[in-house]
Amino acid sequence: MTNQFDEMDRLATVNGPLDDEYWMQKALAMAKQAGKQGEVPVGAIVVMNGQCVAESFNQPIASCDATAHAEIIALRAACSAVANYRLTGATLYVTIEPCTMCFGAMLHARIKRLVYGAAEPRAGVVSSQLQLPRRDFYNHKIDYSSGVLADECGQLMADFFKQRR
């Protein structure tokens, strides 16, 4: 017997890069909204069963909340949308490599897969600094892909900070 996740995994294997670029475009659109509001332009999308269940962008300034990163808000909204604190089978798309806080939240939510655009050399913990997905002390593993639309994601950040300086 095949469940929905098995079928989606099969489809993702066949069309993975194309699907990843499609969803990353959606995350980029969210990031641009953040930038327009004066927030660091990071966008995130949570996808389950081939559908977006949540989307968000950075909002720590507007919300006066240091934890209001795009990933955290998207995870909260996704959990609410599916009425479960576990997002088993979900993929989180984010324009920039996640920080420690966001990666920890993904572990607790049981995100299956993380896809991010540009690396974050100073604070990214997936590949750039701590390589947290490779650590063997977690009881949950997150598959990840990096570099999806990395140029566009990185340029959005560079342009934002260029204007601020």
Side-chain angles (χ1 to χ4, degrees):
M1 181 173 169
T2 303
N3 66 31
Q4 289 177 335
F5 291 120
D6 292 338
E7 180 64 10
M8 289 310 298
D9 289 344
R10 186 186 68 73
L11 292 172
T13 301
V14 174
N15 298 321
L18 297 176
D19 291 340
D20 287 349
E21 289 180 12
Y22 172 81
W23 292 115
M24 190 60 73
Q25 286 288 352
K26 301 287 187 189
L28 270 165
M30 297 304 297
K32 289 174 184 174
Q33 285 187 16
K36 287 177 185 175
Q37 295 182 21
E39 303 277 1
V40 175
V42 179
I45 305 284
V46 178
V47 175
M48 294 181 78
N49 299 323
Q51 295 185 39
C52 176
V53 295
E55 57 187 16
S56 189
F57 54 86
N58 266 9
Q59 299 173 46
I61 297 168
S63 65
C64 297
D65 179 357
T67 69
H69 289 196
E71 301 96 308
I72 299 296
I73 297 168
L75 290 171
R76 287 176 181 159
C79 289
S80 181
V82 301
N84 194 334
Y85 74 110
R86 300 283 196 217
L87 299 172
T88 307
T91 298
L92 186 137
Y93 292 86
V94 64
T95 54
I96 300 297
E97 181 179 2
C99 70
T100 310
M101 173 183 69
C102 293
F103 187 79
M106 288 178 233
L107 282 172
H108 289 286
R110 299 299 192 260
I111 290 293
K112 179 178 182 178
R113 184 169 174 249
L114 164 67
V115 179
Y116 67 90
E120 210 308 1
R122 291 184 350 196
V125 299
V126 177
S127 299
S128 296
Q129 291 298 327
L130 301 175
Q131 294 88 36
L132 292 181
R134 298 182 195 147
R135 304 297 179 189
D136 60 1
F137 48 79
Y138 295 118
N139 64 347
H140 176 69
K141 296 291 181 197
I142 297 175
D143 295 327
Y144 69 94
S145 297
S146 61
V148 176
L149 302 181
D151 291 342
E152 294 92 328
C153 294
Q155 192 62 54
L156 186 62
M157 292 288 278
D159 292 347
F160 176 80
F161 285 110
K162 188 176 182 181
Q163 291 175 358
R164 310 272 278 173
R165 294 185 179 133

